[in-house]
């Protein structure tokens, strides 16, 4: 205003011949600025915003700041309405009858992009605009925050209508029409139509290829407060994008039965949060569907949770991250406004997936081709070493399992080790036997209340003991200068372990005749002083030598060294004095099961290690394959070593318990017993006639005295799993190639769709519509050409014999 700038609408920026100077269409400041007290500011400021009565103006909000400009409308008989004149000038009016404020298209685009990428709220964004206008007196700049919120909602709606072609036709959008979906998922009539060249599929094409796989999940950070004035709320696109229509969802809730989900985990945060009753919240979160392979939201599938979560899908956890950016600012919005913001955010997420789908599928195909080649080589090498009769038997087992897996999921158990443990009960079986014995009618009369549940309490103590062994080993493996992440991990594990110990000690008086306090030096519970290291000194890893004693990172808080008040730790004399003979017998039974579990785990993992040595490392054709194989070996060795320590500790405790001869059955473990030598991998191999397996290979295994049955079972499972891996990689190659073609077809379909709209607009004289449609058509043609070229290159490089993708 002060520099004399006037904006004339229509007539190419020249004054309208039908207008007069300072006509009534020049408007004064909005009433929203009456709260500004100009006495609080200096008389002479650099802000050319406050107009007096002689200089009426319109507030224009732009990326560069808030401006006070003189707007002159066209008054010709054929002139458009004032709001449409502003639209033609690239200005979006805050009202449509007598507009006093307008926002430039560029500032609305900038705000929506900031909101998408940074989660910037309307309040924060407009605060930035005010500071750009005046860094010293931002509060003197007119406040158009509410106008920005209202205008941004309309701008979102206009953008979605335009992007989906509804500016070119009179049809009203239907359910989900304003949502973009995945280009790589099969969509009949779009990328699976004869016109796109994909309908002629071979007759033997598997049905799973055209099955759309969806995942479901919930997000409880996207909660929503009850609206302040629900009767004033107006929805601009209810149910037209991703959020389900309000009335339709309410009708469903009226007849749906809600069942509170019970978590198997103690104090499961997500489930407890979902089931919490919060009176201030209209919705406790949102939930819905996405395609499983590419992570695109499914149109008209998102709902507000009233309470509870019953769905799960890992890929959607990554999708919630973008929504969580705007969740705090959307928490207090009106219900329609919040849904529109979420719709826009999800549409943008799908758009970004669409423009990146080419790169994603190229990377996916490279991984699939490499996986198929490596797994085929591994299976070929393995298959050549197996007797043909065994191959025929295993192939029949696989075919039967695949045929019955839908009706009988247990048919897939063929991929697990089948060997039974004979007369060697597990710890859980022992605990179950003791609990059943305690609850028999003939024992209920004689058992005191303190004896009931003792087996479970003792089993809990054994589990804590195993956790102590694992944590002690982790602490011992820390180097001289551990990282903060390593120290934090150990600290968290110690805190978790201490909580378990505390709960265990609180229950101890129920089964013992004295109160237990692990902090009292004179109590039966005291600290273990390096006894764990002494017990397992013969089982240290060759490639993980014991570090310098200074690296043990000792601290006052070391729950892994707490000695639990188990009968074996109290001693025979003390237990007899306290009358805990039955408790000693129960621990003996549980220790036997614990020993069996540890030996079984050792056998299984040593078998896995032998198979890796025989079939992977020896046949590795590349440095990368060899490195992966050795990584698998080290992982197996860590598990074997841990179970060996658990077994040794178990045997040490058995020696402290009376009235059994189990130590004659469970012999000491030595380091040489834990090596997967050639005798384990193939007892009949040349040079192994005099080699013998360790004693635990034949302990109580039905029909087995030499360990051969173990390795036969290992090879059977390994053969089935290797073949399954090879088959899955081959299926992945097939699927990705079809996804490539579907993506090209999707872009081609969209290009043809916009080309048709361009022709229609041209024939009706809508030049602007025709130009926009031509631009959209060109964009999709570029996406199709780029995708086809990229897919052809990656297929030729990875699999030269494979047909290229059609453009």
């Amino acid at each position: 205003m002060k520099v004399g700038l006037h904006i004339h609408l229509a007539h190419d920026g020249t004054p309208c011949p039908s207008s007069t100077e300072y006509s009534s269409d020049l408007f004064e400041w909005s009433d929203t600025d009456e709260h500004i007290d100009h006495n609080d500011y200096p008389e002479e400021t650099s802000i050319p915003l406050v107009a007096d009565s002689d200089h009426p103006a319109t507030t224009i909000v732009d990326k560069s700041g808030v401006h006070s400009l003189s707007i002159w409308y066209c008054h010709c008989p054929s002139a458009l309405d004032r709001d449409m004149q502003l639209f033609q000038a690239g200005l979006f009016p805050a009202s449509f009858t007598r507009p006093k404020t307008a926002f430039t298209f560029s500032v609305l685009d900038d705000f929506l992009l900031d909101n998408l990428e940074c989660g910037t709220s309307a309040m924060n964004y407009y605060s930035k605009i005010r500071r750009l206008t005046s860094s010293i007196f931002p509060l003197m700049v007119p406040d158009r925050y509410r106008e920005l919120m209202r205008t941004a909602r309309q701008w979102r709606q206009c953008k979605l209508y335009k992007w989906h072609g509804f500016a070119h036709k009179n049809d009203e959008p239907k359910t989900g029409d304003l949502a973009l979906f995945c280009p790589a998922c099969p969509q009949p009539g779009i990328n699976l139509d004869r016109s796109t060249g994909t309908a002629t599929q071979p007759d033997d094409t598997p049905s799973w290829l055209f099955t759309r796989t969806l995942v479901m999940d919930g997000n409880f950070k996207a909660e929503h407060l009850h609206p302040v004035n629900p009767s004033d709320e107006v929805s601009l696109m209810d149910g037209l994008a991703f959020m389900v229509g309000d009335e339709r969802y309410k009708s469903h809730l009226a007849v749906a039965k809600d069942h509170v989900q019970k978590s198997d985990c103690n104090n499961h945060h997500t489930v407890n949060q979902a089931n919490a009753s919060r009176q201030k919240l209209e919705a406790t979160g949102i939930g819905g569907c996405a395609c499983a392979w590419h992570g695109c939201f499914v149109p008209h599938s998102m709902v507000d949770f009233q309470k509870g979560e019953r769905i799960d899908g890992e890929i959607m956890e990554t999708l919630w991250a973008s929504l969580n950016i705007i969740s705090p600012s959307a928490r207090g919005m009106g219900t329609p406004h919040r849904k529109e913001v979420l719709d826009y955010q999800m549409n943008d997420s799908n758009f970004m997936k669409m423009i990146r789908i080419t790169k994603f599928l190229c990377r996916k195909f490279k991984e699939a081709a490499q996986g198929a080649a490596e797994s085929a080589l591994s299976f070929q090498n393995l298959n050549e070493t197996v007797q043909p009769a065994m191959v025929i038997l295993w192939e029949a087992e696989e075919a039967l399992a695949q045929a019955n897996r839908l009706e009988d999921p247990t048919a897939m158990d063929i991929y697990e080790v089948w060997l039974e443990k004979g007369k060697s009960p597990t710890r859980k079986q022992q605990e179950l036997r003791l609990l059943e014995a305690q609850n028999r009618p003939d024992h209920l009369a004689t058992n005191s209340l303190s004896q009931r549940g003792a087996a479970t309490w003792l089993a809990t103590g054994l589990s804590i003991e195993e956790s102590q062994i694992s944590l002690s080993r982790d602490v011992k493996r820390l180097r001289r200068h551990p990282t903060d992440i390593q120290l934090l991990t150990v600290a968290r594990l110690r805190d978790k372990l201490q909580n378990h110990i505390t709960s265990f000690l609180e229950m101890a008086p129920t089964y013992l005749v004295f109160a237990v306090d692990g902090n009292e030096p004179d109590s039966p519970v005291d600290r273990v002083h390096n006894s764990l290291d002494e017990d397992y000194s013969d089982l240290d890893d060759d490639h993980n030598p014991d570090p310098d004693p200074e690296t043990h990172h000792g601290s006052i808080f070391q729950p892994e060294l707490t000695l639990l008040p188990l009968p074996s730790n109290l001693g025979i004399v003390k237990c007899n004095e306290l009358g805990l003979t039955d408790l000693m017998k129960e621990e003996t039974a549980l220790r036997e099961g614990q020993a069996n579990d540890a030996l079984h785990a050792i056998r299984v993992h040593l078998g896995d290690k032998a198979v890796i040595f025989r079939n992977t490392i020896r046949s590795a054709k590349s440095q990368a394959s060899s490195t992966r194989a050795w990584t698998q070996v080290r992982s197996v060795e860590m598990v074997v070593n841990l179970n060996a320590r658990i077994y040794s500790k178990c045997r040490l405790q058995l020696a402290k318990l009376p009235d059994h001869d189990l130590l004659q059955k469970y012999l000491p473990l030595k380091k040489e017993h834990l090596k997967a030598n050639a005798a384990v991998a193939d007892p009949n191999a040349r040079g192994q006639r005099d080699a013998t397996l360790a004693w635990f290979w034949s302990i109580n295994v039905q029909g087995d005295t030499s360990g051969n049955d173990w390795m036969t079972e290992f090879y059977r499972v390994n053969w089935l799993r290797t073949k399954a891996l090879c088959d899955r990689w081959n299926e992945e190659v097939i699927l990705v190639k079809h996804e490539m073609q579907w993506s090209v077809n999707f872009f081609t379909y969209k290009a043809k769709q916009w080309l048709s709209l361009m022709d229609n607009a041209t024939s009706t004289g809508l030049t602007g519509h025709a130009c926009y449609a031509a631009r959209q058509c060109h964009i999709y043609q570029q996406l199709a050409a780029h995708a086809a070229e990229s897919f052809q290159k990656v297929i030729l490089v990875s699999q030269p014999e494979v047909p290229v993708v059609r453009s």
Side-chain angles (χ1 to χ4, degrees), residues 19 110 171 198 332 379 433 479 520 547 569 669 703 712 751:
S19 299
D110 187 64
D171 299 341
T198 58
F379 179 69
R433 181 180 62 82
R479 299 301 179 185
E520 295 180 4
N569 290 328
L669 274 183
T712 300

Side-chain angles (χ1 to χ4, degrees), residues 168 751-767 769-774 777:
H168 294 73
K752 291 180 178 179
Q753 192 179 48
W754 281 107
L755 182 62
S756 175
L757 293 175
M758 182 193 72
D759 293 338
N760 294 337
T762 302
S763 63
T764 55
L766 298 175
T767 306
H769 289 66
C771 291
Y772 180 78
C777 176

Side-chain angles (χ1 to χ4, degrees), residues 4 101 276 348 448 679:
T101 300
D348 181 73
S448 64

Side-chain angles (χ1 to χ4, degrees), residues 673-706:
H673 293 160
L674 306 181
K675 293 182 178 180
N677 54 29
V680 176
D682 188 358
N684 298 320
R686 183 177 180 180
Q688 299 302 321
R689 183 179 66 178
D690 297 328
T692 59
L693 294 170
W695 57 269
F696 54 80
W697 284 99
S698 58
I699 180 173
N700 279 348
V701 178
Q702 292 181 347
D704 177 30
T705 57
S706 64

Side-chain angles (χ1 to χ4, degrees), residues 364-385:
K364 193 176 177 182
F365 185 82
K366 290 179 182 178
E367 295 173 354
Q370 180 180 358
E374 293 180 354
S375 62
L377 179 61
S378 298
F379 179 69
Q380 179 183 352
N381 293 333
L382 174 62
N383 202 46
E384 291 175 352
T385 64

Side-chain angles (χ1 to χ4, degrees), residues 99-100 215:
K100 300 177 182 179
V215 294

Side-chain angles (χ1 to χ4, degrees), residues 156 178 197 335 405 435 482 543 597 641 713 720 742 806:
R156 286 191 185 95
L178 298 185
T335 301
R405 65 188 181 94
L435 289 175
H543 58 278
D597 288 343
N641 187 268
E713 182 65 5
L720 288 171
W742 294 337
R806 298 183 302 274

Side-chain angles (χ1 to χ4, degrees), residues 771-791:
C771 291
Y772 180 78
R775 174 176 176 269
Q776 292 297 101
C777 176
H778 181 63
I779 289 175
Y780 281 107
Q781 287 175 341
Q782 285 185 311
L783 288 173
H786 172 66
E789 181 182 2
S790 301
F791 296 156

